[in-house]
Amino acid sequence: MTDYFEVHERDGAARLGEVRLTDPVTTPALADPFLVDAGSLWTTDRDVPDGDGSVLTVLPHRSFPAGTRAEVRESFRVDHPDLDAPTAAVVDSGSARHVGADAYVLADAAGFVGHGEAFRDAIRSARASLPADTALFLSGVATPANVATLVAAGIDLVDGSLARTKGTEGKYLTADGERFLEDLTELPCACPACATPRESFTRADCAEHNVNALEAALRRVRERIRAGRLRDYLEGQARHEGWLTATLRLFDDQWGYLERRTPILRDAEITAASAETLDRVEIRRFADRVTSRYRNRFTDQPLVLVPCSATKPYSDSQSHRQFHDAIQWRGHTVSMTSPIGVVPQELETTYPAQHYDAVVTGDWSEAEIGFVAEVLRRYLRRNDYSRVIAHVPEDGYREICERVEADTDIDVPFEYTCVDHPTTDESLGELNAALHGEPAYSKREREHNTVRAIADYVLGDGAGDAVFGDAAIRTTGRYPKLQVWADDDGGREGEPGTQLATMVPQYGTLSFTLRGARRWVESDAPTKRVTIDRFVPHGSVLAPGVVDADPEIRVGDEVVIEGPTAFAVGRAEMSGPEMVESTRGVASEVRHVEEIAR
Ligand SMILES: [Zn+2]
C-alpha cells in the first residue's frame, strides 16, 4: 500500500500536504529529519527495511533498459504487500512512472534547478507521469531564495544538504540571495546560530544558519499556501534571482498546468502590485470567461463604461452610487479596471472582481492599457450595443476607449460624457443627459440577468438560459443575497415555488439545491459531474469513491455527484483529474444528497 501522503490544500500548483509518519509532517518540508537512504539495503534482493512508520525510506534508483518487459518492471513495484512503510523512489523527471511509492526523488534535479525552461519542463513532465497524491522531492538544490519557487511549481519535499554545504564554503544564505560571509558587516538574521557574535561566527555556524533560514522560508511558504497567497509573495520574492523571475513567467506561459490547479474562488485578496499580476491564472480566467461565456442580456440599453473604484463591490462605492443616480437603470454598466479588464455589473461580486487591490498611481503602464483594451475589444465583438457611452477620465481609460473605437471591426461610435472628473456635477449631468429617452430596465430584470450571467460565467456559454429558462424563474431576497425559485411548478399566488439556487455574495457564484441540480443536469448546459460508486455520501466524497470526474472541474466548482444509489450536489475540493488520480483525500464536499431507490 502507498497511503502515506495526502494533499490537504492547494494554492495553484503549490500544495499543503501530510506525510503520514508516526509523527505526521506537514509539507512542503525539509525531509532530512525523517529520511533514511536504503540504497545499499535493496540492491540485490527484495528485502525492505522494516518500516515502523517513523521514517521515509528512499529506495535505490532502478532504471530499466528500453524494451524491458512489463512483467519484469512490475516485479519491482514497491507497493508489494509486505512493504508497509512510507517510501520514496528515485526517478528521472523525463522517464518517471508510478511504481507505488509515496514520494519521488527526481535524480536529475541538480541539472535543471537554476534553469527556468529546463526546470519547468522537468516538473511538468514528472507531474504528468505521477499521480497527484504522490510527493515530489528535490534533493541537494534548495536554498532560502529558491524554495518558494520550487514549491509554487509543485515540489513537496526538499532537503538542507545544499544549504549546509554552502555554509561550510562560507556562503551565507537568505531569502533574497547569498553573500560571502567575509563581506557581511552584520548578520541579517536573528536565528539561534546568528546569536553568535559576528567576530566568532564560524562556517559551521553559517551552515546551521543556512538550514534555519531554509526552514524559516518553508514556514513562510506554508503560511502563504494556507492563506491562498503564495503567488502575491512570489511576484516580489522571485525578483532576487534572474532564473526565479524567468521561471515565474515561463510557468505563466503554460496556461494549462497552472489553470488546472488554481481554485475558481477563494477568500484571499489578490495584490495587483507587479506587471506579472496580469498573467495570473485568476486574472486571465476572468477575462477569458467574460469574453467567451458571459452574454449581455440588457439589449435595449446602451453600454455605459465607467472607471472601477477602490471599494468593492463597485456598487457600494461613493462614485458608483453617483454614476447609478445619473444612469437610473437606463444603461448597462461595465467597469473598466486593471488588472481585471472589464466587469459587467452582473459579475461585480464574482471572484476575483471584488477580491483584488490595485496599486493606484493614476498612471497606466503600456501593458495594462494593452490588456484592458484587448479585453474590451473582445467583449464588444461578442456583445452588440446600439450605443457606447464612455464615462471615463482622461488618462489610461480614455486611451483604451479610443484605441478600441478605432478598430475597424468595432462599428459602434463611443460617446464621451466625462468633462473633467467622472463625479463632477457637470460630468454626471452629461451622463444623465446622454441617456435621456433610453428605456429603463426593472429590478426583476436586473436580478434575473444577474443570476443567468453568473450561471454563464461559472457553468459555461449558454448555461444561464439553459438552466434558468427564459421566464421560468423568480428571485427573492435583497441583492446580492438572491434566492432563485422555479416559477413553473405550481407555486401558488404569492408563493415562489421550489428553490433552485442561492447566490453566494462573497464569491458571486451559485449554490444549487437538489432541484436546481436536477435542472442543470437535464439542461443543455455543460455539467460538471462526479461519478461515484454504490454509496450515499454524507458530508463529503473521498477520492477513492470517485469512479470518474469531468476534467473541467476545478477546486471551488459547483458539482453534481451521481452514483447508482445517490444524487447529490456540492463543491469540488480537487480538480476533476486529481479526483480520478488520487486514492486519498476529500474530492468534494456534499451540500445536499438524496438516496435513489433501486
Ligand atoms: Zn540565522
Side-chain angles (χ1 to χ4, degrees):
M1 290 296 291
T2 59
D3 53 3
Y4 295 93
F5 182 67
E6 180 171 337
V7 178
H8 292 310
E9 289 180 52
R10 297 150 188 87
D11 185 10
R15 304 104 63 81
L16 203 71
E18 183 184 347
V19 183
R20 300 177 157 238
L21 304 174
T22 311
D23 294 320
V25 175
T26 301
T27 62
L30 280 180
D32 323 43
F34 54 87
L35 209 61
V36 168
D37 193 334
S40 56
L41 294 174
W42 200 26
T43 45
T44 54
D45 55 39
R46 289 184 56 78
D47 279 348
V48 167
D50 238 6
D52 62 356
S54 66
V55 293
L56 181 69
T57 305
V58 180
L59 302 170
H61 194 174
R62 290 226 174 256
S63 55
F64 296 93
T68 306
R69 282 179 304 125
E71 309 85 274
V72 177
R73 289 174 181 270
E74 279 306 304
S75 71
F76 287 99
R77 284 184 69 88
V78 296
D79 53 351
H80 194 267
D82 61 11
L83 178 62
D84 60 352
T87 51
V90 182
V91 295
D92 286 316
S93 60
S95 58
R97 77 190 175 90
H98 188 39
V99 292
D102 304 285
Y104 289 87
V105 186
L106 301 186
D108 48 341
F112 59 72
V113 169
H115 312 280
E117 269 185 65
F119 174 72
R120 178 198 64 189
D121 294 346
I123 303 304
R124 289 189 63 215
S125 168
R127 263 286 154 242
S129 329
L130 299 168
D133 57 348
T134 56
L136 280 189
F137 181 0
L138 296 188
S139 174
V141 294
T143 65
N146 73 20
V147 77
T149 294
L150 303 186
V151 171
I155 299 303
D156 306 288
L157 292 168
V158 295
D159 63 23
S161 59
L162 179 64
R164 209 170 287 113
T165 304
K166 281 183 179 271
T168 57
E169 293 166 359
K171 290 171 187 160
Y172 186 96
L173 306 183
T174 57
D176 59 354
E178 79 177 42
R179 299 284 303 276
F180 283 106
L181 191 52
E182 62 257 34
D183 293 342
L184 289 174
T185 309
E186 283 185 60
L187 302 175
C189 174
C191 80
C194 295
T196 310
R198 175 69 192 88
E199 56 282 5
S200 46
F201 190 82
T202 63
R203 289 186 169 195
D205 295 328
C206 188
E208 192 186 329
H209 154 81
N210 285 353
V211 176
N212 288 344
L214 181 55
E215 176 57 39
L218 279 162
R219 289 183 195 185
R220 183 182 294 125
V221 165
R222 289 196 295 268
E223 275 301 304
R224 281 277 171 175
I225 297 172
R226 288 185 184 103
R229 300 197 59 179
L230 181 58
R231 169 69 184 217
D232 306 60
Y233 174 66
L234 206 57
E235 283 182 20
Q237 198 272 335
R239 304 283 160 202
H240 296 297
E241 285 181 25
W243 88 273
L244 300 177
T245 311
T247 300
L248 182 71
R249 293 180 186 159
L250 286 162
F251 271 94
D252 281 346
D253 289 343
Q254 300 290 317
W255 165 253
Y257 184 79
L258 291 183
E259 196 280 333
R260 188 186 122 175
R261 294 168 168 82
T262 303
I264 65 147
L265 53 84
R266 49 181 153 187
D267 295 321
E269 189 169 90
I270 290 173
T271 304
S274 89
E276 276 85 10
T277 304
L278 288 175
D279 298 322
R280 285 181 67 137
V281 167
E282 298 92 332
I283 301 298
R284 289 172 59 188
R285 184 190 272 150
F286 190 87
D288 177 60
R289 291 186 177 194
V290 163
T291 55
S292 67
R293 296 181 171 194
Y294 169 82
R295 192 172 291 284
N296 170 43
R297 292 177 172 84
F298 295 95
T299 47
D300 296 333
Q301 282 79 27
L303 170 63
V304 180
L305 291 171
V306 298
C308 66
S309 59
T311 302
K312 316 276 185 324
Y314 305 134
S315 61
D316 283 353
S317 71
Q318 176 74 20
S319 61
H320 279 242
R321 283 176 207 270
Q322 290 174 290
F323 299 154
H324 175 74
D325 288 345
I327 297 168
Q328 295 171 1
W329 315 107
R330 296 169 300 170
H332 179 231
T333 307
V334 171
S335 300
M336 294 167 62
T337 175
S338 177
I340 307 279
V342 301
V343 182
Q345 62 187 48
E346 305 96 298
L347 299 179
E348 66 163 4
T349 63
T350 300
Y351 181 85
Q354 59 166 337
H355 303 79
Y356 73 98
D357 192 14
V359 177
V360 181
T361 59
D363 291 332
W364 291 61
S365 72
E366 174 54 36
E368 289 175 304
I369 290 174
F371 173 78
V372 180
E374 181 53 29
V375 177
L376 180 58
R377 196 174 285 129
R378 275 155 47 196
Y379 180 85
L380 284 172
R381 280 182 196 140
R382 185 172 158 85
N383 294 291
D384 288 328
Y385 291 93
S386 54
R387 301 168 66 196
V388 175
I389 296 166
H391 191 72
V392 294
E394 286 283 346
D395 53 12
Y397 288 111
R398 178 74 180 241
E399 185 172 345
I400 292 163
C401 289
E402 286 173 351
R403 274 196 203 182
V404 174
E405 189 186 5
D407 268 20
T408 48
D409 60 341
I410 304 291
D411 51 11
V412 54
F414 283 41
E415 301 162 48
Y416 296 91
T417 50
C418 184
V419 181
D420 175 18
H421 189 270
T423 54
T424 60
D425 288 347
E426 196 182 357
S427 289
L428 293 168
E430 289 285 326
L431 176 58
N432 183 295
L435 290 161
H436 181 74
E438 295 289 354
Y441 52 82
S442 65
K443 173 164 162 281
R444 178 176 169 278
E445 233 179 310
R446 179 184 62 134
E447 293 180 352
H448 288 198
N449 288 354
T450 298
V451 168
R452 292 187 182 120
I454 292 173
D456 288 341
Y457 181 93
V458 177
L459 308 182
D461 190 12
D465 293 334
V467 178
F468 297 119
D470 245 359
I473 56 166
R474 292 186 200 183
T475 46
T476 59
R478 187 182 160 83
Y479 175 87
K481 293 179 185 168
L482 298 176
Q483 284 110 48
V484 190
W485 305 78
D487 199 25
D488 58 356
D489 62 351
R492 280 172 302 189
E493 190 68 32
E495 289 185 11
T498 312
Q499 189 170 0
L500 299 175
T502 304
M503 178 175 167
V504 185
Q506 302 93 299
Y507 314 115
T509 186
L510 296 171
S511 284
F512 283 100
T513 61
L514 281 173
R515 181 63 181 269
R518 285 275 182 211
R519 258 213 202 194
W520 176 20
V521 169
E522 287 158 14
S523 78
D524 290 335
T527 310
K528 294 177 198 293
R529 183 184 274 104
V530 179
T531 308
I532 58 168
D533 250 327
R534 181 173 290 276
F535 66 96
V536 180
H538 292 284
S540 59
V541 172
L542 300 179
V546 174
V547 175
D548 200 8
D550 188 310
E552 295 304 311
I553 294 170
R554 301 288 174 265
V555 173
D557 257 329
E558 192 77 358
V559 290
V560 164
I561 300 150
E562 278 188 292
T565 55
F567 181 85
V569 63
R571 185 141 293 169
E573 293 285 318
M574 292 180 180
S575 69
E578 189 172 358
M579 289 182 192
V580 175
E581 283 173 26
S582 298
T583 52
R584 297 198 71 83
V586 176
S588 177
E589 297 296 342
V590 173
R591 189 181 314 113
H592 305 293
V593 61
E594 65 187 357
E595 199 169 338
I596 300 172
R598 280 272 148 171

